[in-house]
Amino acid sequence: TVGGDVSKDSNPTASVFAWNDWRGGLGIERMTERDPADRVWWSTCYLGKNHLLLPPLATITAASGVAGSFSIGAMGELANEIYVAFGTSIRKYSNTSDSWGASLATLPAVATHALSFRLGGVDYLAFATTGGYTYTSDGITWTNDVTATKFLAFWDQRLWGISNTGQLWRSTAIGVEVNDAVLPLPDSSIKSLFSARNAANNVILYAGTRVGLYSHDSTNAKWEVTEPALPPHPDNCLGSVRWQDHIFLSGGLAITALINGTNSAVVTFVGPDRNHGLPTAQQGKIVSLVGSYRGLLALINGTVAGGEGDLFDGSSMGSQITTVVSTDTGYSEILGWDGIGWHTLWLAAANTTSADYMLVSSAYTEYRLWWAHNGRVYWLALPIGIINPDQSTDFAYAASAEHITPWLIMDAKDVVALAVALHVEVQRATASETVVVDYASDYSTTYTTLGTITTNGVTTYLFPNSTTPTGTAFRAIRFRLTFARGSVNTNSPDVISLTFVYRKKLKARWAGQLTLDIRNEYKGNTARQLQNALITAAESNDLVEFTFHDDSTAGNPRNYYVDVRIRGQEATGREYTGTVDISVIEP
């Protein structure tokens, strides 16, 4: 009898594990019943509280018209419009006609960076090309400057650039550069140039390099190595950005977050490589980090089919022991971090092409994320608030998504677990907006389909099926949801909760009650010898073999290894006779 409030813990004969808040994000492959239920292994869904939805719709723009094979080196914004360097051809996007116009300029080399800035009261857009930079103030007239430049930054009311060899320059008038500090590192070490606060709370220039972070001393025109100390890595600082009060530096899939303070600094690790990392197919290297209104966004480039993932030590920080996989692996994707967990915004359809560049912009009076992949430019709308389908009816959703829970394993290994039922609560489901429910058990890569949800409310699936709901034994179990919508992109099925009902049963432990008469000799043993033998059995640290049926001739002997407990009546003094009650039980 259950009185008072009824909750998921009130079932007297079964256990219940409920998922209804997924905001903890990606990266947990295995979990126990005691772990928080807000994490997932992998998902391309929008992860919310009591809302699991299709992700935002990514729009691929028209082909650029540039022939041949090329990479998209950079993109930038000028006068509320987007400009992109397709190979060496600069083109402007038409938001009204979804088209790229004719080539506006030809760069001397493939772009390595782009920057929008205001110098001397004039707005400019510049593309760096290692051997120089090309700039414009109107999108029509473009000027090539031959001062070697790989990256650009704007700080202290001046334009700054740095070459592939580490030579920093500054400019107070466009096209007129003065050399400054030289980065004391080998050529090609520079990976980024940006501004952020230092320990004295002043904004300065920083250079992200393959061997760590360097700060610029403008008074003495020199570079100084700074904390945190990073081990050499070819992909260190490919993604470098100041977002909110942190500096974020990437290396492979790792991200180091730094908060500078007076005589101290706080360093944390926030990348998607923490805990159990990402599935093999989704691994790669971070090539760009940008900040948005609601999160830090990471563009992960994966161009080679993946192998094994990073080894991890199981700690809450998910410290990496070693890397056993190429960093260029898996499908390209964009992940977002909101300070709590990582979420997927976009996943490429193929794992054979690279992702190149990313930009957050308000061009065309639309708050969007723009990025390059496989020679094409994409964009998606960035929300500045929570996506609540109960209140928002005009948000555009992608056509499909996948959601995979962690493996749920039992805390006690001597427990036999039996899957009984799965309750899935869904809203906004129709014949077109559907959710397919699958499960896998015992670490199998093969899923069993439970059904397809097309109606609202709670759908209950019994194990192994509704015809013979005898339950399905498991050591570990996970669930997969596959979302799909129809032709209306503002519709999405909405999963409110998953409630898994399972029974835990201890292994059967056999016990016996015996009464022994030791008043007489037995097989040559006196009563005292018989009692000493019983005391030895009761005090034994090892388990004692107990034969209930000596049925070996039938191939089914019933032998057990038991603890022995004695209680009974016996005479005192010199007498050792009496009757003894014995309990035997398997531990």
Side-chain angles (χ1 to χ4, degrees):
T1 301
V2 178
D5 292 338
V6 177
S7 72
K8 67 182 181 65
D9 301 316
S10 301
N11 190 327
T13 60
S15 298
V16 178
F17 195 90
W19 289 274
N20 55 21
D21 186 351
W22 296 274
R23 291 175 296 176
L26 311 175
I28 295 295
E29 185 178 15
R30 298 181 185 182
M31 64 183 297
T32 68
E33 303 163 280
R34 299 179 183 272
D35 292 328
D38 65 342
R39 301 294 300 275
V40 303
W41 172 223
W42 171 253
S43 180
T44 55
C45 292
Y46 171 82
L47 306 176
K49 180 176 174 60
N50 295 120
H51 290 295
L52 191 62
L53 302 158
L54 288 167
L57 176 65
T59 299
I60 181 172
T61 66
S64 65
V66 177
S69 177
F70 59 87
S71 63
I72 297 177
M75 58 182 66
E77 177 185 350
L78 179 67
N80 204 38
E81 295 181 296
I82 295 294
Y83 293 78
V84 174
F86 296 93
T88 59
S89 175
I90 298 178
R91 304 201 173 201
K92 183 175 69 173
Y93 182 65
S94 170
N95 191 55
T96 55
S97 62
D98 179 31
S99 62
W100 297 92
S103 181
L104 302 172
T106 300
L107 299 174
V110 173
T112 54
H113 191 224
L115 181 71
S116 300
F117 57 94
R118 186 176 180 85
L119 185 64
V122 179
D123 293 330
Y124 292 96
L125 170 62
F127 288 88
T129 59
T130 302
Y133 68 100
T134 301
Y135 62 89
T136 184
S137 61
D138 57 11
I140 300 173
T141 302
W142 296 79
T143 303
N144 290 327
D145 190 300
V146 296
T147 303
T149 308
K150 188 175 183 180
F151 297 103
L152 294 161
F154 190 79
W155 170 71
D156 194 27
Q157 301 303 311
R158 289 178 284 186
L159 177 65
W160 298 78
I162 193 167
S163 70
N164 191 52
T165 61
Q167 175 65 65
L168 181 71
W169 56 259
R170 64 183 186 273
S171 173
T172 55
I174 195 71
V176 180
E177 296 82 29
V178 177
N179 284 342
D180 198 276
V182 177
L183 193 65
L185 294 174
D187 293 356
S188 302
S189 294
I190 181 72
K191 299 295 181 180
S192 58
L193 183 68
F194 62 98
S195 61
R197 294 192 181 277
N198 62 5
N201 204 34
N202 296 317
V203 177
I204 64 170
L205 277 181
Y206 285 93
T209 76
R210 63 189 304 168
V211 295
L213 185 65
Y214 280 74
S215 62
H216 178 238
D217 180 350
S218 60
T219 302
N220 299 299
K222 65 178 183 178
W223 290 102
E224 295 180 347
V225 66
T226 186
E227 306 297 343
L230 299 176
H233 191 287
D235 301 322
N236 268 343
C237 301
L238 275 180
S240 301
V241 69
R242 179 183 68 176
W243 180 65
Q244 294 185 345
D245 57 348
H246 287 66
I247 294 173
F248 294 90
L249 308 170
S250 73
L253 276 177
I255 298 178
T256 302
L258 167 68
I259 301 180
N260 272 314
T262 304
N263 297 321
S264 67
V266 177
V267 178
T268 55
F269 302 98
V270 301
D273 64 325
R274 296 177 306 157
N275 303 128
H276 301 164
L278 297 175
T280 298
Q282 280 74 47
Q283 293 179 14
K285 66 181 178 184
I286 296 172
V287 296
S288 179
L289 287 175
V290 297
S292 72
Y293 191 86
R294 289 191 50 80
L296 177 71
L297 308 180
L299 177 62
I300 298 174
N301 180 26
T303 57
V304 180
E308 293 299 320
D310 286 345
L311 300 179
F312 63 93
D313 63 8
S315 67
S316 60
M317 291 299 294
S319 301
Q320 303 303 314
I321 299 173
T322 183
T323 299
V324 292
V325 64
S326 167
T327 53
D328 288 326
T329 61
Y331 287 73
S332 295
E333 71 237 24
I334 296 175
L335 302 183
W337 183 69
D338 59 3
I340 300 175
W342 287 95
H343 309 250
T344 306
L345 276 74
W346 169 80
L347 178 68
N351 66 348
T352 56
T353 53
S354 66
D356 303 310
Y357 206 83
M358 189 165 58
L359 173 72
V360 171
S361 168
S362 296
Y364 316 108
T365 18
E366 298 284 351
Y367 189 51
R368 294 171 175 172
L369 173 66
W370 300 76
W371 70 96
H373 171 67
N374 193 26
R376 300 288 289 271
V377 174
Y378 294 71
W379 64 262
L380 62 78
L382 289 175
I384 59 174
I386 297 294
I387 301 173
N388 185 349
D390 295 329
Q391 305 299 324
S392 176
T393 59
D394 59 355
F395 188 81
Y397 297 99
S400 61
E402 179 184 56
H403 180 87
I404 302 175
T405 71
W407 287 107
L408 178 62
I409 57 181
M410 299 298 101
D411 285 328
K413 298 307 176 186
D414 58 345
V415 165
V416 178
L418 192 73
V420 176
L422 179 69
H423 307 292
V424 186
E425 186 174 2
V426 180
Q427 290 297 318
R428 280 171 282 282
T430 67
S432 299
E433 282 67 49
T434 62
V435 179
V436 178
V437 183
D438 304 318
Y439 79 93
S441 60
D442 300 341
Y443 310 109
S444 172
T445 57
T446 301
Y447 284 88
T448 299
T449 300
L450 293 173
T452 301
I453 298 175
T454 60
T455 58
N456 294 334
V458 177
T459 300
T460 297
Y461 296 106
L462 303 178
F463 290 86
N465 53 61
S466 59
T467 303
T468 55
T470 54
T472 299
F474 69 93
R475 290 181 293 111
I477 194 167
R478 72 167 23 155
F479 299 97
R480 181 179 66 182
L481 305 179
T482 304
F483 288 63
R485 65 160 171 82
S487 59
V488 181
N489 64 23
T490 54
N491 291 341
S492 171
D494 184 6
V495 174
I496 297 174
S497 65
L498 295 176
T499 304
F500 177 48
V501 181
Y502 57 102
R503 188 205 66 188
K504 293 187 292 183
K505 183 178 180 180
L506 292 173
K507 177 184 176 182
R509 289 168 171 82
W510 296 99
Q513 297 287 339
L514 303 89
T515 300
L516 299 185
D517 185 348
I518 57 173
R519 290 174 295 181
N520 302 300
E521 290 188 2
Y522 178 72
K523 289 190 175 182
N525 294 295
T526 66
R528 182 175 183 176
Q529 289 173 322
L530 292 173
Q531 192 164 91
N532 287 340
L534 288 175
I535 292 172
T536 299
E539 294 180 348
S540 172
N541 187 51
D542 295 336
L543 299 177
V544 176
E545 185 178 8
F546 170 61
T547 302
F548 188 74
H549 280 302
D550 186 9
D551 198 13
S552 57
T553 57
N556 185 30
R558 292 178 63 184
N559 282 21
Y560 306 97
Y561 288 86
V562 297
D563 280 323
V564 178
R565 300 171 187 175
I566 299 176
R567 66 183 179 88
Q569 299 177 359
E570 65 175 279
T572 61
R574 295 181 181 275
E575 297 294 330
Y576 289 92
T577 62
T579 59
V580 180
D581 292 333
I582 299 175
S583 298
V584 294
I585 184 169
E586 285 188 300

